[in-house]
Amino acid sequence: MTAVAAPARAATRVKRGHAGGDAVTMAWRNLLNIKRNPQLLVFATIQPVIFVVMFRYVFGGAIQGSLPAGQTYVNFLMPGIFVQTIVFGALTTGVGLADDLSKGLIDRFRSLPMARSAVLVGRTLADFVRNFFVVILMCIVGFIVGWTIGTNVWGLLGAIGIILAFSYALSWVFANVGLTVKDAETAQAVSFPILAPLVFASSAFVPVATMPSWLQGWARNQPVSVVVDAARSLTIGVGPTSEYVIKALIWIVGIIAVCAPIAVARYRRAV
C-alpha cells in the first residue's frame, strides 16, 4: 500500500507548492555531504587556491610577454582560473548523481512524498552554492597575489554573476553524464575528455593569438573562452564588453535550454 500511495502523495505535495521546499531540502542534503567528506572539501577549496598560486608565479613570467602592453598576467589570468575551477567543479554534479543511482538512493527518494524534480534541482542548486563560496574564496586569494580590478565594483559583480550562471549551466551538462553511466568512477572518467578541450584549448590561460591558426577558431568561440572573455572585459575593461557579455549569456541560456530537458527525461527513465 505504501508503494502505491507514495506517488499520489508526491503529486499532492507538488500541487500544494512544496516542490521548491523539496528542492531546497535536497540541496541542503548535498551540501552536508560535502562537509562530511573531507576529500570533496579539499577539491572545492584548496585545489583552486593551488591553481591560482601556481599559474600566477610559475607560468606568469613566461606568458607576460605575449600580452598586450599595459596588461599584467595576474589580471589576465584570474577570470580564466575562475572559469577553469567551476568547469572542473561541475563534474561533481554528474559524479554525485551517478553515485546516488548506483547506491539506490534515487529509488529511496522516489518512495518519499516529494517532487521528482527536487533531486535534479537540489543537486544543481547545491553545486551553485558551492561554486559561489569557491569564487568568493578565489577573489580573496586573487587580491592577495596582486589581482586588481580595472573597471569598478559593478564590473566585478557582473563577472561573478556570469561565471556563476555558467557554472549552473554546466551542472546540467554533467547531470546528463551522471544519469547515463553506471557509477561515480565512470562518470569521472567520461567527464575528463569533455573538460580537457574546453579548458585547455581556450583563452583561459594564454591569448588565443598564440595558438596555431587551425585551433584559433575553436578556442575563440567555444563557451569557456566566451565566458572568460566576458569576465575579463568586465574586470579589466578591455575589448567589446557588451558583445562578450551577450555571447556568454547566449551560451548559458542555450546550454540550459538544451541540457536541462534532456536531464529531466533521462532522470525519469532512470527511476
Side-chain angles (χ1 to χ4, degrees), residues 180-216:
T180 303
V181 300
K182 296 181 179 180
D183 51 55
E185 291 77 12
T186 306
Q188 190 167 8
V190 170
S191 298
F192 187 77
I194 302 174
L195 296 173
L198 284 174
V199 172
F200 297 109
S202 73
S203 63
F205 307 124
V206 297
V208 173
T210 64
M211 300 179 185
S213 57
W214 56 267
L215 184 59
Q216 290 185 18

PDB file of all heavy atoms in Angstrom, residues 180-216:
ATOM      1  N   THR A 180      23.641   8.869 -17.159  1.00  0.00           N
ATOM      2  CA  THR A 180      23.851   7.948 -18.277  1.00  0.00           C
ATOM      3  C   THR A 180      24.738   6.772 -17.896  1.00  0.00           C
ATOM      4  O   THR A 180      24.498   5.645 -18.332  1.00  0.00           O
ATOM      5  CB  THR A 180      24.480   8.694 -19.473  1.00  0.00           C
ATOM      6  OG1 THR A 180      23.629   9.779 -19.842  1.00  0.00           O
ATOM      7  CG2 THR A 180      24.661   7.768 -20.659  1.00  0.00           C
ATOM      8  N   VAL A 181      25.764   7.015 -17.061  1.00  0.00           N
ATOM      9  CA  VAL A 181      26.731   5.970 -16.718  1.00  0.00           C
ATOM     10  C   VAL A 181      26.253   5.194 -15.497  1.00  0.00           C
ATOM     11  O   VAL A 181      25.244   5.535 -14.876  1.00  0.00           O
ATOM     12  CB  VAL A 181      28.117   6.582 -16.468  1.00  0.00           C
ATOM     13  CG1 VAL A 181      28.612   7.294 -17.710  1.00  0.00           C
ATOM     14  CG2 VAL A 181      28.086   7.551 -15.285  1.00  0.00           C
ATOM     15  N   LYS A 182      27.036   4.162 -15.114  1.00  0.00           N
ATOM     16  CA  LYS A 182      26.596   3.246 -14.075  1.00  0.00           C
ATOM     17  C   LYS A 182      27.088   3.600 -12.678  1.00  0.00           C
ATOM     18  O   LYS A 182      26.478   3.202 -11.687  1.00  0.00           O
ATOM     19  CB  LYS A 182      27.055   1.823 -14.422  1.00  0.00           C
ATOM     20  CG  LYS A 182      26.423   1.266 -15.698  1.00  0.00           C
ATOM     21  CD  LYS A 182      26.910  -0.148 -15.974  1.00  0.00           C
ATOM     22  CE  LYS A 182      26.265  -0.709 -17.226  1.00  0.00           C
ATOM     23  NZ  LYS A 182      26.729  -2.096 -17.520  1.00  0.00           N
ATOM     24  N   ASP A 183      28.223   4.296 -12.575  1.00  0.00           N
ATOM     25  CA  ASP A 183      28.773   4.576 -11.248  1.00  0.00           C
ATOM     26  C   ASP A 183      29.596   5.858 -11.280  1.00  0.00           C
ATOM     27  O   ASP A 183      29.830   6.438 -12.346  1.00  0.00           O
ATOM     28  CB  ASP A 183      29.637   3.411 -10.743  1.00  0.00           C
ATOM     29  CG  ASP A 183      30.687   2.981 -11.759  1.00  0.00           C
ATOM     30  OD1 ASP A 183      31.478   3.852 -12.196  1.00  0.00           O
ATOM     31  OD2 ASP A 183      30.721   1.796 -12.126  1.00  0.00           O
ATOM     32  N   ALA A 184      30.029   6.307 -10.095  1.00  0.00           N
ATOM     33  CA  ALA A 184      30.736   7.573  -9.961  1.00  0.00           C
ATOM     34  C   ALA A 184      32.083   7.549 -10.666  1.00  0.00           C
ATOM     35  O   ALA A 184      32.500   8.554 -11.263  1.00  0.00           O
ATOM     36  CB  ALA A 184      30.922   7.899  -8.476  1.00  0.00           C
ATOM     37  N   GLU A 185      32.792   6.425 -10.603  1.00  0.00           N
ATOM     38  CA  GLU A 185      34.101   6.343 -11.239  1.00  0.00           C
ATOM     39  C   GLU A 185      33.987   6.513 -12.750  1.00  0.00           C
ATOM     40  O   GLU A 185      34.798   7.211 -13.376  1.00  0.00           O
ATOM     41  CB  GLU A 185      34.767   5.007 -10.907  1.00  0.00           C
ATOM     42  CG  GLU A 185      35.204   4.845  -9.462  1.00  0.00           C
ATOM     43  CD  GLU A 185      34.044   4.532  -8.528  1.00  0.00           C
ATOM     44  OE1 GLU A 185      32.933   4.215  -9.032  1.00  0.00           O
ATOM     45  OE2 GLU A 185      34.238   4.621  -7.303  1.00  0.00           O
ATOM     46  N   THR A 186      32.990   5.890 -13.335  1.00  0.00           N
ATOM     47  CA  THR A 186      32.780   6.025 -14.775  1.00  0.00           C
ATOM     48  C   THR A 186      32.397   7.445 -15.138  1.00  0.00           C
ATOM     49  O   THR A 186      32.849   7.984 -16.153  1.00  0.00           O
ATOM     50  CB  THR A 186      31.700   5.050 -15.256  1.00  0.00           C
ATOM     51  OG1 THR A 186      32.041   3.722 -14.859  1.00  0.00           O
ATOM     52  CG2 THR A 186      31.557   5.093 -16.768  1.00  0.00           C
ATOM     53  N   ALA A 187      31.575   8.067 -14.300  1.00  0.00           N
ATOM     54  CA  ALA A 187      31.175   9.455 -14.558  1.00  0.00           C
ATOM     55  C   ALA A 187      32.378  10.378 -14.585  1.00  0.00           C
ATOM     56  O   ALA A 187      32.496  11.263 -15.442  1.00  0.00           O
ATOM     57  CB  ALA A 187      30.177   9.912 -13.491  1.00  0.00           C
ATOM     58  N   GLN A 188      33.311  10.163 -13.660  1.00  0.00           N
ATOM     59  CA  GLN A 188      34.515  10.993 -13.619  1.00  0.00           C
ATOM     60  C   GLN A 188      35.399  10.732 -14.834  1.00  0.00           C
ATOM     61  O   GLN A 188      35.954  11.671 -15.426  1.00  0.00           O
ATOM     62  CB  GLN A 188      35.290  10.713 -12.335  1.00  0.00           C
ATOM     63  CG  GLN A 188      36.417  11.686 -12.061  1.00  0.00           C
ATOM     64  CD  GLN A 188      36.942  11.560 -10.648  1.00  0.00           C
ATOM     65  OE1 GLN A 188      36.566  10.662  -9.911  1.00  0.00           O
ATOM     66  NE2 GLN A 188      37.821  12.471 -10.254  1.00  0.00           N
ATOM     67  N   ALA A 189      35.524   9.469 -15.239  1.00  0.00           N
ATOM     68  CA  ALA A 189      36.351   9.124 -16.391  1.00  0.00           C
ATOM     69  C   ALA A 189      35.773   9.674 -17.689  1.00  0.00           C
ATOM     70  O   ALA A 189      36.510  10.150 -18.560  1.00  0.00           O
ATOM     71  CB  ALA A 189      36.500   7.609 -16.483  1.00  0.00           C
ATOM     72  N   VAL A 190      34.456   9.635 -17.815  1.00  0.00           N
ATOM     73  CA  VAL A 190      33.802  10.125 -19.029  1.00  0.00           C
ATOM     74  C   VAL A 190      33.859  11.646 -19.108  1.00  0.00           C
ATOM     75  O   VAL A 190      33.938  12.222 -20.197  1.00  0.00           O
ATOM     76  CB  VAL A 190      32.335   9.632 -19.084  1.00  0.00           C
ATOM     77  CG1 VAL A 190      31.569  10.314 -20.206  1.00  0.00           C
ATOM     78  CG2 VAL A 190      32.295   8.114 -19.262  1.00  0.00           C
ATOM     79  N   SER A 191      33.854  12.308 -17.966  1.00  0.00           N
ATOM     80  CA  SER A 191      33.797  13.770 -17.944  1.00  0.00           C
ATOM     81  C   SER A 191      35.090  14.420 -18.404  1.00  0.00           C
ATOM     82  O   SER A 191      35.060  15.489 -19.029  1.00  0.00           O
ATOM     83  CB  SER A 191      33.469  14.263 -16.526  1.00  0.00           C
ATOM     84  OG  SER A 191      32.202  13.804 -16.112  1.00  0.00           O
ATOM     85  N   PHE A 192      36.242  13.801 -18.121  1.00  0.00           N
ATOM     86  CA  PHE A 192      37.511  14.467 -18.432  1.00  0.00           C
ATOM     87  C   PHE A 192      37.696  14.745 -19.917  1.00  0.00           C
ATOM     88  O   PHE A 192      38.165  15.831 -20.280  1.00  0.00           O
ATOM     89  CB  PHE A 192      38.690  13.665 -17.891  1.00  0.00           C
ATOM     90  CG  PHE A 192      40.000  14.378 -18.035  1.00  0.00           C
ATOM     91  CD1 PHE A 192      40.342  15.409 -17.164  1.00  0.00           C
ATOM     92  CD2 PHE A 192      40.880  14.057 -19.054  1.00  0.00           C
ATOM     93  CE1 PHE A 192      41.541  16.093 -17.299  1.00  0.00           C
ATOM     94  CE2 PHE A 192      42.080  14.728 -19.204  1.00  0.00           C
ATOM     95  CZ  PHE A 192      42.409  15.757 -18.321  1.00  0.00           C
ATOM     96  N   PRO A 193      37.375  13.803 -20.825  1.00  0.00           N
ATOM     97  CA  PRO A 193      37.506  14.142 -22.257  1.00  0.00           C
ATOM     98  C   PRO A 193      36.629  15.305 -22.692  1.00  0.00           C
ATOM     99  O   PRO A 193      36.912  15.941 -23.706  1.00  0.00           O
ATOM    100  CB  PRO A 193      37.082  12.838 -22.960  1.00  0.00           C
ATOM    101  CG  PRO A 193      37.341  11.772 -21.958  1.00  0.00           C
ATOM    102  CD  PRO A 193      37.032  12.390 -20.629  1.00  0.00           C
ATOM    103  N   ILE A 194      35.579  15.586 -21.943  1.00  0.00           N
ATOM    104  CA  ILE A 194      34.748  16.761 -22.234  1.00  0.00           C
ATOM    105  C   ILE A 194      35.400  18.015 -21.687  1.00  0.00           C
ATOM    106  O   ILE A 194      35.423  19.068 -22.334  1.00  0.00           O
ATOM    107  CB  ILE A 194      33.343  16.584 -21.629  1.00  0.00           C
ATOM    108  CG1 ILE A 194      32.672  15.315 -22.188  1.00  0.00           C
ATOM    109  CG2 ILE A 194      32.479  17.811 -21.898  1.00  0.00           C
ATOM    110  CD1 ILE A 194      31.345  14.996 -21.527  1.00  0.00           C
ATOM    111  N   LEU A 195      35.978  17.899 -20.495  1.00  0.00           N
ATOM    112  CA  LEU A 195      36.547  19.060 -19.818  1.00  0.00           C
ATOM    113  C   LEU A 195      37.838  19.547 -20.472  1.00  0.00           C
ATOM    114  O   LEU A 195      38.057  20.753 -20.613  1.00  0.00           O
ATOM    115  CB  LEU A 195      36.832  18.713 -18.353  1.00  0.00           C
ATOM    116  CG  LEU A 195      35.643  18.385 -17.466  1.00  0.00           C
ATOM    117  CD1 LEU A 195      36.126  17.896 -16.109  1.00  0.00           C
ATOM    118  CD2 LEU A 195      34.748  19.598 -17.301  1.00  0.00           C
ATOM    119  N   ALA A 196      38.707  18.612 -20.850  1.00  0.00           N
ATOM    120  CA  ALA A 196      40.046  18.979 -21.310  1.00  0.00           C
ATOM    121  C   ALA A 196      40.044  19.935 -22.495  1.00  0.00           C
ATOM    122  O   ALA A 196      40.679  21.004 -22.429  1.00  0.00           O
ATOM    123  CB  ALA A 196      40.854  17.717 -21.623  1.00  0.00           C
ATOM    124  N   PRO A 197      39.353  19.639 -23.604  1.00  0.00           N
ATOM    125  CA  PRO A 197      39.383  20.585 -24.726  1.00  0.00           C
ATOM    126  C   PRO A 197      38.690  21.905 -24.420  1.00  0.00           C
ATOM    127  O   PRO A 197      39.034  22.933 -24.999  1.00  0.00           O
ATOM    128  CB  PRO A 197      38.671  19.819 -25.855  1.00  0.00           C
ATOM    129  CG  PRO A 197      37.852  18.792 -25.169  1.00  0.00           C
ATOM    130  CD  PRO A 197      38.606  18.407 -23.950  1.00  0.00           C
ATOM    131  N   LEU A 198      37.723  21.885 -23.503  1.00  0.00           N
ATOM    132  CA  LEU A 198      37.038  23.127 -23.146  1.00  0.00           C
ATOM    133  C   LEU A 198      37.961  24.054 -22.358  1.00  0.00           C
ATOM    134  O   LEU A 198      37.997  25.264 -22.602  1.00  0.00           O
ATOM    135  CB  LEU A 198      35.785  22.822 -22.319  1.00  0.00           C
ATOM    136  CG  LEU A 198      34.570  22.275 -23.071  1.00  0.00           C
ATOM    137  CD1 LEU A 198      33.477  21.888 -22.086  1.00  0.00           C
ATOM    138  CD2 LEU A 198      34.037  23.303 -24.067  1.00  0.00           C
ATOM    139  N   VAL A 199      38.717  23.494 -21.422  1.00  0.00           N
ATOM    140  CA  VAL A 199      39.531  24.321 -20.531  1.00  0.00           C
ATOM    141  C   VAL A 199      40.868  24.700 -21.168  1.00  0.00           C
ATOM    142  O   VAL A 199      41.250  25.878 -21.194  1.00  0.00           O
ATOM    143  CB  VAL A 199      39.767  23.594 -19.194  1.00  0.00           C
ATOM    144  CG1 VAL A 199      40.773  24.365 -18.336  1.00  0.00           C
ATOM    145  CG2 VAL A 199      38.460  23.425 -18.445  1.00  0.00           C
ATOM    146  N   PHE A 200      41.578  23.725 -21.701  1.00  0.00           N
ATOM    147  CA  PHE A 200      42.951  23.977 -22.130  1.00  0.00           C
ATOM    148  C   PHE A 200      43.037  24.537 -23.550  1.00  0.00           C
ATOM    149  O   PHE A 200      44.020  25.196 -23.881  1.00  0.00           O
ATOM    150  CB  PHE A 200      43.774  22.706 -21.988  1.00  0.00           C
ATOM    151  CG  PHE A 200      43.884  22.238 -20.561  1.00  0.00           C
ATOM    152  CD1 PHE A 200      43.232  21.100 -20.132  1.00  0.00           C
ATOM    153  CD2 PHE A 200      44.608  22.968 -19.632  1.00  0.00           C
ATOM    154  CE1 PHE A 200      43.311  20.683 -18.809  1.00  0.00           C
ATOM    155  CE2 PHE A 200      44.706  22.567 -18.308  1.00  0.00           C
ATOM    156  CZ  PHE A 200      44.050  21.417 -17.903  1.00  0.00           C
ATOM    157  N   ALA A 201      42.053  24.270 -24.390  1.00  0.00           N
ATOM    158  CA  ALA A 201      42.027  24.887 -25.721  1.00  0.00           C
ATOM    159  C   ALA A 201      41.093  26.081 -25.682  1.00  0.00           C
ATOM    160  O   ALA A 201      40.077  26.152 -26.382  1.00  0.00           O
ATOM    161  CB  ALA A 201      41.580  23.874 -26.775  1.00  0.00           C
ATOM    162  N   SER A 202      41.428  27.032 -24.830  1.00  0.00           N
ATOM    163  CA  SER A 202      40.596  28.213 -24.624  1.00  0.00           C
ATOM    164  C   SER A 202      41.489  29.411 -24.326  1.00  0.00           C
ATOM    165  O   SER A 202      42.715  29.295 -24.265  1.00  0.00           O
ATOM    166  CB  SER A 202      39.623  27.991 -23.457  1.00  0.00           C
ATOM    167  OG  SER A 202      40.315  28.022 -22.214  1.00  0.00           O
ATOM    168  N   SER A 203      40.854  30.545 -24.105  1.00  0.00           N
ATOM    169  CA  SER A 203      41.584  31.766 -23.766  1.00  0.00           C
ATOM    170  C   SER A 203      41.785  31.924 -22.265  1.00  0.00           C
ATOM    171  O   SER A 203      42.127  33.008 -21.797  1.00  0.00           O
ATOM    172  CB  SER A 203      40.830  32.988 -24.313  1.00  0.00           C
ATOM    173  OG  SER A 203      39.550  33.092 -23.695  1.00  0.00           O
ATOM    174  N   ALA A 204      41.568  30.852 -21.514  1.00  0.00           N
ATOM    175  CA  ALA A 204      41.638  30.959 -20.057  1.00  0.00           C
ATOM    176  C   ALA A 204      43.027  31.319 -19.564  1.00  0.00           C
ATOM    177  O   ALA A 204      43.182  32.130 -18.643  1.00  0.00           O
ATOM    178  CB  ALA A 204      41.175  29.648 -19.414  1.00  0.00           C
ATOM    179  N   PHE A 205      44.082  30.728 -20.163  1.00  0.00           N
ATOM    180  CA  PHE A 205      45.424  30.886 -19.632  1.00  0.00           C
ATOM    181  C   PHE A 205      46.372  31.625 -20.561  1.00  0.00           C
ATOM    182  O   PHE A 205      47.350  32.206 -20.101  1.00  0.00           O
ATOM    183  CB  PHE A 205      46.015  29.511 -19.302  1.00  0.00           C
ATOM    184  CG  PHE A 205      45.143  28.681 -18.409  1.00  0.00           C
ATOM    185  CD1 PHE A 205      44.742  27.413 -18.794  1.00  0.00           C
ATOM    186  CD2 PHE A 205      44.698  29.165 -17.195  1.00  0.00           C
ATOM    187  CE1 PHE A 205      43.928  26.644 -17.977  1.00  0.00           C
ATOM    188  CE2 PHE A 205      43.883  28.419 -16.371  1.00  0.00           C
ATOM    189  CZ  PHE A 205      43.488  27.147 -16.766  1.00  0.00           C
ATOM    190  N   VAL A 206      46.126  31.565 -21.852  1.00  0.00           N
ATOM    191  CA  VAL A 206      47.008  32.224 -22.822  1.00  0.00           C
ATOM    192  C   VAL A 206      46.156  32.924 -23.872  1.00  0.00           C
ATOM    193  O   VAL A 206      45.012  32.530 -24.119  1.00  0.00           O
ATOM    194  CB  VAL A 206      47.954  31.208 -23.517  1.00  0.00           C
ATOM    195  CG1 VAL A 206      48.879  30.558 -22.501  1.00  0.00           C
ATOM    196  CG2 VAL A 206      47.155  30.158 -24.275  1.00  0.00           C
ATOM    197  N   PRO A 207      46.678  33.963 -24.520  1.00  0.00           N
ATOM    198  CA  PRO A 207      45.935  34.607 -25.606  1.00  0.00           C
ATOM    199  C   PRO A 207      45.716  33.642 -26.767  1.00  0.00           C
ATOM    200  O   PRO A 207      46.595  32.850 -27.113  1.00  0.00           O
ATOM    201  CB  PRO A 207      46.849  35.768 -26.011  1.00  0.00           C
ATOM    202  CG  PRO A 207      47.732  36.008 -24.828  1.00  0.00           C
ATOM    203  CD  PRO A 207      47.935  34.668 -24.189  1.00  0.00           C
ATOM    204  N   VAL A 208      44.546  33.707 -27.365  1.00  0.00           N
ATOM    205  CA  VAL A 208      44.217  32.823 -28.483  1.00  0.00           C
ATOM    206  C   VAL A 208      45.166  33.048 -29.656  1.00  0.00           C
ATOM    207  O   VAL A 208      45.484  32.115 -30.406  1.00  0.00           O
ATOM    208  CB  VAL A 208      42.753  33.041 -28.913  1.00  0.00           C
ATOM    209  CG1 VAL A 208      42.428  32.259 -30.176  1.00  0.00           C
ATOM    210  CG2 VAL A 208      41.808  32.631 -27.785  1.00  0.00           C
ATOM    211  N   ALA A 209      45.664  34.274 -29.821  1.00  0.00           N
ATOM    212  CA  ALA A 209      46.540  34.597 -30.945  1.00  0.00           C
ATOM    213  C   ALA A 209      47.843  33.805 -30.925  1.00  0.00           C
ATOM    214  O   ALA A 209      48.503  33.679 -31.957  1.00  0.00           O
ATOM    215  CB  ALA A 209      46.847  36.089 -30.960  1.00  0.00           C
ATOM    216  N   THR A 210      48.236  33.267 -29.778  1.00  0.00           N
ATOM    217  CA  THR A 210      49.473  32.493 -29.687  1.00  0.00           C
ATOM    218  C   THR A 210      49.275  31.035 -30.103  1.00  0.00           C
ATOM    219  O   THR A 210      50.248  30.288 -30.182  1.00  0.00           O
ATOM    220  CB  THR A 210      50.026  32.530 -28.255  1.00  0.00           C
ATOM    221  OG1 THR A 210      49.086  31.891 -27.361  1.00  0.00           O
ATOM    222  CG2 THR A 210      50.251  33.959 -27.796  1.00  0.00           C
ATOM    223  N   MET A 211      48.050  30.622 -30.364  1.00  0.00           N
ATOM    224  CA  MET A 211      47.759  29.233 -30.723  1.00  0.00           C
ATOM    225  C   MET A 211      47.891  29.031 -32.227  1.00  0.00           C
ATOM    226  O   MET A 211      47.868  29.995 -32.995  1.00  0.00           O
ATOM    227  CB  MET A 211      46.338  28.864 -30.270  1.00  0.00           C
ATOM    228  CG  MET A 211      46.092  28.985 -28.787  1.00  0.00           C
ATOM    229  SD  MET A 211      44.383  28.563 -28.355  1.00  0.00           S
ATOM    230  CE  MET A 211      44.387  28.937 -26.596  1.00  0.00           C
ATOM    231  N   PRO A 212      48.022  27.774 -32.680  1.00  0.00           N
ATOM    232  CA  PRO A 212      48.046  27.503 -34.124  1.00  0.00           C
ATOM    233  C   PRO A 212      46.770  28.012 -34.797  1.00  0.00           C
ATOM    234  O   PRO A 212      45.694  28.007 -34.179  1.00  0.00           O
ATOM    235  CB  PRO A 212      48.139  25.976 -34.193  1.00  0.00           C
ATOM    236  CG  PRO A 212      48.704  25.560 -32.878  1.00  0.00           C
ATOM    237  CD  PRO A 212      48.214  26.553 -31.873  1.00  0.00           C
ATOM    238  N   SER A 213      46.880  28.411 -36.038  1.00  0.00           N
ATOM    239  CA  SER A 213      45.742  29.013 -36.736  1.00  0.00           C
ATOM    240  C   SER A 213      44.555  28.067 -36.829  1.00  0.00           C
ATOM    241  O   SER A 213      43.394  28.499 -36.743  1.00  0.00           O
ATOM    242  CB  SER A 213      46.169  29.452 -38.140  1.00  0.00           C
ATOM    243  OG  SER A 213      46.690  28.349 -38.876  1.00  0.00           O
ATOM    244  N   TRP A 214      44.813  26.754 -36.991  1.00  0.00           N
ATOM    245  CA  TRP A 214      43.714  25.794 -37.119  1.00  0.00           C
ATOM    246  C   TRP A 214      42.944  25.617 -35.809  1.00  0.00           C
ATOM    247  O   TRP A 214      41.810  25.137 -35.812  1.00  0.00           O
ATOM    248  CB  TRP A 214      44.244  24.433 -37.587  1.00  0.00           C
ATOM    249  CG  TRP A 214      45.310  23.839 -36.712  1.00  0.00           C
ATOM    250  CD1 TRP A 214      46.653  23.974 -36.857  1.00  0.00           C
ATOM    251  CD2 TRP A 214      45.118  23.031 -35.543  1.00  0.00           C
ATOM    252  NE1 TRP A 214      47.328  23.297 -35.865  1.00  0.00           N
ATOM    253  CE2 TRP A 214      46.410  22.699 -35.046  1.00  0.00           C
ATOM    254  CE3 TRP A 214      43.994  22.529 -34.890  1.00  0.00           C
ATOM    255  CZ2 TRP A 214      46.585  21.908 -33.917  1.00  0.00           C
ATOM    256  CZ3 TRP A 214      44.169  21.745 -33.759  1.00  0.00           C
ATOM    257  CH2 TRP A 214      45.451  21.439 -33.279  1.00  0.00           C
ATOM    258  N   LEU A 215      43.553  26.017 -34.687  1.00  0.00           N
ATOM    259  CA  LEU A 215      42.903  25.869 -33.387  1.00  0.00           C
ATOM    260  C   LEU A 215      42.205  27.153 -32.935  1.00  0.00           C
ATOM    261  O   LEU A 215      41.329  27.104 -32.076  1.00  0.00           O
ATOM    262  CB  LEU A 215      43.943  25.451 -32.342  1.00  0.00           C
ATOM    263  CG  LEU A 215      43.461  25.146 -30.926  1.00  0.00           C
ATOM    264  CD1 LEU A 215      42.437  24.011 -30.924  1.00  0.00           C
ATOM    265  CD2 LEU A 215      44.653  24.789 -30.033  1.00  0.00           C
ATOM    266  N   GLN A 216      42.579  28.271 -33.510  1.00  0.00           N
ATOM    267  CA  GLN A 216      42.070  29.552 -33.019  1.00  0.00           C
ATOM    268  C   GLN A 216      40.561  29.701 -33.164  1.00  0.00           C
ATOM    269  O   GLN A 216      39.906  30.306 -32.313  1.00  0.00           O
ATOM    270  CB  GLN A 216      42.787  30.694 -33.742  1.00  0.00           C
ATOM    271  CG  GLN A 216      44.245  30.843 -33.351  1.00  0.00           C
ATOM    272  CD  GLN A 216      44.901  32.049 -33.986  1.00  0.00           C
ATOM    273  OE1 GLN A 216      44.222  32.962 -34.458  1.00  0.00           O
ATOM    274  NE2 GLN A 216      46.228  32.055 -34.013  1.00  0.00           N
TER     275      GLN A 216
END
